[in-house]
Amino acid sequence: MKTLVLIFLLAACQPNSWDNEVPVSADCPSYTEWKKAADLREVPGTVVNEAETSQTSTWIYIQTSDKVRYFACNLPEQVRKTGTKVVFNAEEFAPPPNVRLAGVPVKLTKLRVVP
C-alpha cells in the first residue's frame, strides 16, 4: 500500500507536458479534400515567419532540427513569430497528385510553446 501511495504522489508531482498549451482551431479548409497520411506526435520545432524578413515571401511554417518544414493550416496568430519554439501533435496530409509543396501539410491538433 505504501508503494502505491508513493507512486501516485510521484506521478501527481510530475509537470504536465502540455502546461504551455496554445489553443488551436479545428477549422482547416485548406486540406479538406486531401487524404490524411499520418498522425504526428510530440514533434519539436521552431516557427519560421519569412514575412518578417522578406518582401516577397509570406510563408510561415514550423521547421524541425532535421530541416523538415511543416505548413500548418491552423497555426495560431500568437505563435507566428520567428524563433518561437514549439512541440505539436498533428494530422499529416498527402497532397493530391501533381501538387508540389515546399513542406509537409499538417493540421495541428495540439500545440505548446516551449519556454
Side-chain angles (χ1 to χ4, degrees), residues 21-115:
E21 186 171 355
V22 176
V24 293
S25 170
D27 189 34
C28 194
S30 302
Y31 309 137
T32 53
E33 302 296 318
W34 295 15
K35 183 179 174 191
K36 182 177 164 183
D39 284 319
L40 305 174
R41 297 282 179 246
E42 296 285 317
V43 180
T46 303
V47 174
V48 176
N49 185 343
E50 291 186 1
E52 293 175 345
T53 58
S54 172
Q55 293 185 7
T56 57
S57 178
T58 59
W59 287 358
I60 302 171
Y61 52 89
I62 302 169
Q63 185 166 317
T64 61
S65 60
D66 55 351
K67 304 296 183 207
V68 175
R69 295 176 179 172
Y70 289 97
F71 284 86
C73 59
N74 59 342
L75 187 65
E77 192 66 40
Q78 67 252 42
V79 298
R80 292 183 175 208
K81 182 169 177 37
T82 294
T84 304
K85 303 251 185 255
V86 296
V87 174
F88 65 91
N89 292 352
E91 296 174 350
E92 178 182 334
F93 291 90
N98 300 321
V99 172
R100 303 274 185 229
L101 300 173
V104 179
V106 296
K107 175 183 174 185
L108 300 172
T109 55
K110 282 189 116 174
L111 176 71
R112 75 174 185 262
V113 175
V114 178

Side-chain angles (χ1 to χ4, degrees), residues 3-20:
T3 304
L4 180 60
V5 170
L6 180 59
I7 291 172
F8 175 75
L9 288 175
L10 287 173
C13 293
Q14 296 296 317
N16 182 350
S17 64
W18 290 97
D19 280 345
N20 296 317

